[in-house]
Amino acid sequence: MSGPLGAAIGRYPSSDGVTQMGGTIRHKRKCRDISFLVIFIAFLIAMIVNSSFGFNQGNPLRLTHGLDYKGNVCGDKFAHHGFGELELRYWQNPNQVYQSGLKNSHFKLANARSICLIDCPIPSDDSLEWICDYPEGEISLSMSDWINRKYDYFEFLTPEMRNSSLQLQGPCYPVIFPSVNVYWSCQFIARASNMSLKLWQQMGGVNVYEDIVIDKSIHKSINSHSAVLKRYMADIGKAWPVLIVCGGILPLFLSVVWLLMIRHFVAAMPWITVVLFNILIISVTMFYYLKAGWIGNDVISPIIGEHDPYINVSGRELTHLRTATIVMTFIMSVAILTSIAIVRRILMATSVLKVAAKVIGEVQALIIFPLIPYGILAVFYMFWISAALYLFSTGQIVQNDCDSNCCTYDLVAKRVNCERCCGYSIHYSPHIRVAILFHLFGCYWATQFFRACSSTVIAGSVASYYWAHGETSPEIPFLTVFSSMKRLIRCSLGSVALGSLIVSFVESIRFLLESIRRKLKVNSYEPDNCLGKAAYQSSQCFLRCIEWIMKSANRNAYIMIAIGGKSFFVASSIATELIMNNVLKIGRLNVIGDVILFLGKLCVSLSSVVFAFLMLDTHMFKSAHNKISSPLLPVTVCWALGYIVASLFFAVVEMSIDTIVLSYCQDSEEHQGTAHYAPPLLIETLSDQNEVQRITQGPQ
């Protein structure tokens, strides 16, 4: 092969006439794909602008807390003094709640009169309790006095106000039904208090409906898809200590430990990894069973605080968790059977990992280097998650436009007002959805970019080691890593930005197609004929294959960028040609090694999930204020963060193997099939590959 790198490989004369080693690594380079670096920088600036919009317009309290009859967010301390402790939304008029639950009714629960309270009211056994509007007008009570009186100032009402209250038009409303705190909303229990109802009737109050509809109406609102999605996002904000510990610190520690063990116990690590993986995936699955209520009595509950044990309320979160449990059971079964199937090939993985262990032992700075991209990503994720919470909670609070009969007494106007008495809702404009999608894509692209930068630096360091006959400078142990970082920053950031953009774009297309499929399925537009289903499945398979090929090609392209400093497409072409020309020689060299590394990443990320479950099971995340609706999303985010952190550190081994292999191929091409620069251990491994495969596969 006489590719673009042909003249640069091997020795070259320096300016002083002395022959140098590794000319490919140290030759002068040009900036490549600079336009894509400019695009990436502009994209980051746009993300900052987009996030500032969220920080300015959003309020994370909107994700979990409802609105009162004035449009205030319950629990918002900036609404007015003393309002911060009023976190629960309570619907005052039970007949409006009943009417909103009827099938043919045009009245919506969003227009029912609601108020913010500290706790959910319970009817008294010997008297009739009242929940009155916020004190204003002639009611000269402070907010603190109103709270201390349990929101009741019925005795101060004028005859006109009392008559209006008996008509369920306020300013005071009777407590007829018990209620329970379900995700910061007081859900009625359709069992009217006999004493309270009797006293209400004796006072001449209008008829109060007692049907089960009053229960289901609020329950349906609390469990709507949008409400559940908002609670999931709020869980991320409340579980931030778990994300820091289990998504950042723990995987960092475990990844470093794994690399050190690879360095010193390479022969045992494949066996340790497989056994530990099986133990962890079984443990994680058992935690899912516990939280789903299928084992033990630690099932998640939507009810916050103490309540009657006979009250049973289920939420959509429990359904999602049980679905995830079934999926996790299937994954566990397949994973265990697969890990057992590769046990016979562990010997091959050991021979491959020995090569990487040798490199790590010689270039020890590689173990520490991933701390740099780790720190950058940690800062980025903290900013990104905070901005995501605010973006998801943006929107304009406006009063609904309704034509329903909802007359209420106005304490300021001193009369019953039947105009502008509709409730408030948060309206989301279409550009907010675009901003959220832009934010999500930005996270994926930035993650791929920083991971690619890390991989390229590692590849450059390992390539320097290879093309120097395995010689390193003991006086300056970080020299090769610093030199590789310098080459990346000066010349190759644009190529890395292009490669990461391609992967992000393909993944985003697949995500959008999957979203469209789900929407069509919900609307019963899913293809019901064999041809349509086959076309859909084929397209999904094709996209997954394209995604896998792009990720694999990108990784090899980054290696050739680190070696030769070429542009992304040229480097990708060179890497592909090298692999195709040497596919018989190295075809199965690192397949099992990649499987072991993948299991190692899963071990780190599954350990993060186990500790996340344990942390979320503490009182801190079960108390009223910090209670999470479900551990599903926090543990999933911890798994993703743990996997990303592990990938940064495990890339040291992955890129070491791939860089050594590609360098070996290029070396062989330049020297007519004989690799002049290959370390002895690599030559020994390649020589013994057929024998290793024969031993591991057994007789044919």
Side-chain angles (χ1 to χ4, degrees), residues 589-623:
L589 174 66
N590 59 351
V591 173
I592 301 299
D594 285 344
V595 172
I596 295 299
L597 291 173
F598 177 66
L599 292 181
K601 297 176 190 177
L602 290 180
C603 285
V604 173
S605 56
L606 290 175
S607 298
S608 299
V609 172
V610 169
F611 279 89
F613 269 117
L614 293 175
M615 286 191 67
L616 292 172
D617 205 32
T618 59
H619 176 73
M620 175 181 179
F621 300 103
K622 290 185 174 182
S623 60

Side-chain angles (χ1 to χ4, degrees), residues 178-470:
S179 57
V180 63
N181 181 359
V182 178
Y183 295 136
W184 297 275
S185 291
C186 295
Q187 178 174 323
F188 288 149
I189 306 301
R191 296 198 305 262
S193 169
N194 293 331
M195 177 58 68
S196 298
L197 189 59
K198 180 179 179 180
L199 293 174
W200 168 256
Q201 293 171 347
Q202 290 177 352
M203 295 179 67
V206 297
N207 182 48
V208 173
Y209 300 102
E210 304 180 55
D211 197 274
I212 190 66
V213 172
I214 197 173
D215 187 326
K216 294 183 177 181
S217 175
I218 298 177
H219 183 76
K220 182 179 178 181
S221 173
I222 294 175
N223 283 282
S224 65
H225 291 289
S226 61
V228 173
L229 177 61
K230 290 178 182 179
R231 287 199 294 270
Y232 278 146
M233 287 302 302
D235 290 342
I236 299 299
K238 294 176 183 178
W240 65 265
V242 179
L243 302 186
I244 292 176
V245 174
C246 300
I249 299 175
L250 180 64
L252 168 64
F253 172 76
L254 294 177
S255 299
V256 173
V257 169
W258 199 90
L259 286 181
L260 293 175
M261 292 183 69
I262 277 287
R263 171 69 182 90
H264 298 285
F265 308 102
V266 62
M269 280 309 295
W271 303 97
I272 294 174
T273 301
V274 171
V275 173
L276 186 60
F277 168 74
N278 288 326
I279 294 174
L280 286 171
I281 197 168
I282 292 174
S283 301
V284 170
T285 305
M286 291 302 102
F287 271 112
Y288 273 98
Y289 273 91
L290 285 170
K291 294 303 177 181
W294 289 340
I295 296 179
N297 56 358
D298 197 25
V299 60
I300 62 171
S301 172
I303 301 178
I304 300 174
E306 297 181 358
H307 61 278
D308 188 339
Y310 294 101
I311 296 177
N312 183 23
V313 179
S314 62
R316 194 182 295 270
E317 286 86 350
L318 182 59
T319 303
H320 293 168
L321 190 61
R322 288 178 172 173
T323 302
T325 304
I326 296 173
V327 173
M328 195 66 196
T329 303
F330 174 77
I331 294 175
M332 178 190 68
S333 303
V334 174
I336 292 176
L337 293 176
T338 304
S339 64
I340 294 175
I342 68 171
V343 166
R344 297 177 60 200
R345 300 175 180 266
I346 292 296
L347 183 59
M348 186 188 300
T350 302
S351 65
V352 174
L353 293 178
K354 283 181 179 179
V355 178
K358 174 66 175 176
V359 177
I360 296 174
E362 296 294 335
V363 191
Q364 297 183 11
L366 288 176
I367 298 179
I368 303 176
F369 163 73
L371 289 174
I372 298 176
Y374 169 84
I376 295 174
L377 278 177
V379 174
F380 173 78
Y381 282 142
M382 285 189 287
F383 168 80
W384 186 88
I385 292 175
S386 299
L389 290 174
Y390 279 88
L391 278 173
F392 268 88
S393 61
T394 52
Q396 186 178 7
I397 298 177
V398 297
Q399 192 168 30
N400 300 329
D401 183 15
C402 65
D403 55 359
S404 303
N405 181 19
C406 54
C407 301
T408 58
Y409 192 91
D410 190 333
L411 287 172
V412 176
K414 300 180 182 180
R415 63 181 178 85
V416 174
N417 185 6
C418 294
E419 300 176 359
R420 305 294 298 168
C421 59
C422 302
Y424 287 80
S425 299
I426 302 175
H427 286 200
Y428 300 93
S429 57
H431 75 273
I432 294 180
R433 297 179 181 177
V434 176
I436 292 175
L437 291 176
F438 181 85
H439 197 66
L440 293 173
F441 179 80
C443 177
Y444 195 80
W445 188 9
T447 300
Q448 293 296 326
F449 175 81
F450 291 122
R451 287 180 60 184
C453 287
S454 177
S455 298
T456 306
V457 171
I458 294 170
S461 303
V462 176
S464 298
Y465 165 83
Y466 179 94
W467 293 103
H469 274 301

Side-chain angles (χ1 to χ4, degrees), residues 28-32 34 485-493:
K28 292 183 180 180
R29 304 186 178 203
K30 297 180 180 179
C31 292
R32 307 289 185 179
I34 191 66
M485 291 176 60
K486 183 179 178 180
R487 292 193 295 270
L488 170 69
I489 295 173
R490 287 180 56 189
C491 304
S492 303
L493 283 178

Side-chain angles (χ1 to χ4, degrees), residues 93-109 112 209 213-214 217 404-406:
N93 191 334
N95 280 357
Q96 287 185 340
V97 175
Y98 171 82
Q99 185 179 356
S100 66
L102 297 176
K103 291 184 178 180
N104 298 324
S105 175
H106 297 289
F107 188 83
K108 298 180 180 180
L109 187 64
Y209 300 102
V213 172
I214 197 173
S217 175
S404 303
N405 181 19
C406 54

Side-chain angles (χ1 to χ4, degrees), residues 80-187:
H80 49 76
H81 180 69
F83 204 76
E85 57 183 337
L86 305 176
E87 296 185 324
L88 309 186
R89 175 177 55 176
Y90 174 77
W91 286 272
Q92 297 168 277
N93 191 334
N95 280 357
Q96 287 185 340
V97 175
Y98 171 82
Q99 185 179 356
S100 66
L102 297 176
K103 291 184 178 180
N104 298 324
S105 175
H106 297 289
F107 188 83
K108 298 180 180 180
L109 187 64
N111 295 318
R113 194 169 184 81
S114 60
I115 195 171
C116 299
L117 306 176
I118 295 178
D119 46 20
C120 294
I122 299 176
S124 174
D125 294 333
D126 53 6
S127 62
L128 180 61
E129 301 286 341
W130 298 85
I131 299 296
C132 301
D133 291 343
Y134 304 127
E136 56 185 353
E138 294 184 355
I139 307 300
S140 57
L141 290 175
S142 64
M143 287 291 292
S144 59
D145 291 337
W146 174 71
I147 295 173
N148 292 334
R149 295 180 58 87
K150 295 184 178 180
Y151 330 108
D152 182 3
Y153 51 75
F154 183 79
E155 59 182 281
F156 300 145
L157 299 184
T158 63
E160 181 185 4
M161 294 179 184
R162 293 195 176 195
N163 182 63
S164 174
S165 298
L166 293 175
Q167 301 298 317
L168 287 179
Q169 294 180 343
C172 293
Y173 298 83
V175 180
I176 304 295
F177 298 91
S179 57
V180 63
N181 181 359
V182 178
Y183 295 136
W184 297 275
S185 291
C186 295
Q187 178 174 323

